[in-house]
Amino acid sequence: MILKEAYRYQNFLDRLLLEAQSLLACESFITNIKQTHHRKKSNPDAQDEEVEVKKKMVGDDGNMRMISAFTPMQTVDFTVRALEEKEKLSLAILAAKKTTKVDIDHSVAMNKKRQEFICTLKQMDRVKDREEKSDGLDYKFNQEGNQVIYHYDIDEVITIDFDRKDIKGLIKKLTKQCDELSIVLDGLLVTTEVDYTPVFDINDSLEDIILGEINPI
């Protein structure tokens, strides 16, 4: 698979692991509940009943939903396998990156820092020379000798303390560097081969994989 596919598959494994571990952290999934309804004590005409409570959990939408038919231990076994695959894939991605003409991780990190700096420079460039008025206050003694507050106008002249032309030029220069490096990185994503074979179909759900309802690839 190419590096772009490897990243996508890595995200897929992360989603599966998160879903599996969320289930294992849910007490209603890892326990069985049996209820005995003692109706006969209160109603001689009724019969006692034993009920197996179906497993439910709160979904992402806040609503209760039925938990799938697979068991906690099946989920544990899957998680162990998925972690092993995540490690294999991570090592394969690391090995593939070592073959590229530029250090991908370093380049991505530096592009991010440049883009953050560009945002700061653009914010600077939005600052304009201007005049503002505000209200000041001070104290004085009146004719009776009492200290009182008095108000007065303040005229404020605000001027930029940087060279706007240089800032605009730097924005243009850094943006060009980011764009050129992004093109190189995008090319590496679709040309760099990763020595890894997926074991799960990326279109399958956690339930599909655990229950084997869809044949493994």
Side-chain angles (χ1 to χ4, degrees):
M1 58 168 42
I2 58 175
L3 190 56
K4 185 176 182 178
E5 294 171 330
Y7 282 143
R8 185 183 176 208
Y9 193 77
Q10 192 174 53
N11 291 334
F12 169 65
L13 289 176
D14 286 340
R15 290 194 300 271
L16 290 176
L17 285 167
L18 178 60
E19 184 177 354
Q21 290 174 81
S22 296
L23 283 172
L24 295 173
C26 179
E27 185 173 331
S28 62
F29 177 64
I30 62 175
T31 60
N32 292 315
I33 301 175
K34 180 187 288 185
Q35 296 177 344
T36 301
H37 295 248
H38 298 282
R39 295 191 180 93
K40 199 171 185 64
K41 288 183 179 180
S42 302
N43 181 6
D45 296 328
Q47 297 295 321
D48 294 343
E49 181 185 12
E50 288 190 351
V51 177
E52 295 283 350
V53 179
K54 293 183 178 180
K55 297 183 177 185
K56 294 182 179 181
M57 70 176 294
V58 178
D60 294 336
D61 56 1
N63 297 319
M64 295 296 292
R65 66 177 178 85
M66 300 302 297
I67 294 178
S68 302
F70 49 84
T71 68
M73 286 312 300
Q74 285 177 308
T75 309
V76 169
D77 292 341
F78 162 77
T79 303
V80 171
R81 185 182 181 196
L83 284 171
E84 292 172 349
E85 291 303 319
K86 175 71 184 286
E87 183 173 22
K88 289 179 185 177
L89 178 57
S90 297
L91 292 174
I93 290 174
L94 183 62
K97 286 178 179 179
K98 292 180 179 179
T99 68
T100 59
K101 60 184 179 181
V102 299
D103 187 313
I104 293 177
D105 292 337
H106 170 75
S107 298
V108 169
M110 286 307 303
N111 243 16
K112 182 179 179 181
K113 290 301 180 183
R114 289 190 189 95
Q115 288 163 353
E116 290 173 354
F117 186 35
I118 289 170
C119 288
T120 301
L121 293 174
K122 287 182 176 179
Q123 186 176 359
M124 287 180 63
D125 187 46
R126 286 194 291 269
V127 177
K128 308 296 182 183
D129 293 341
R130 63 190 187 277
E131 295 183 3
E132 294 183 354
K133 291 183 178 293
S134 60
D135 183 49
L137 60 85
D138 204 347
Y139 297 90
K140 68 177 181 177
F141 290 98
N142 61 17
Q143 293 179 350
E144 289 77 24
N146 299 320
Q147 190 179 51
V148 295
I149 296 175
Y150 70 94
H151 294 265
Y152 59 91
D153 293 333
I154 298 175
D155 290 331
E156 188 172 68
V157 178
I158 301 171
T159 56
I160 61 171
D161 190 22
F162 58 89
D163 190 315
R164 191 182 303 280
K165 182 178 179 181
D166 287 348
I167 295 299
K168 288 182 177 293
L170 191 53
I171 291 172
K172 185 175 181 181
K173 176 183 176 181
L174 291 175
T175 300
K176 183 179 180 181
Q177 287 181 1
C178 286
D179 290 343
E180 290 175 348
L181 186 54
S182 293
I183 292 172
V184 173
L185 293 172
D186 288 344
L188 292 176
L189 286 176
V190 296
T191 57
T192 304
E193 290 290 334
V194 178
D195 185 16
Y196 176 82
T197 302
V199 296
F200 309 124
D201 190 313
I202 200 169
N203 296 308
D204 287 355
S205 67
L206 178 66
E207 184 173 352
D208 291 334
I209 293 170
I210 291 180
L211 296 181
E213 294 177 351
I214 296 180
N215 294 327
I217 59 176

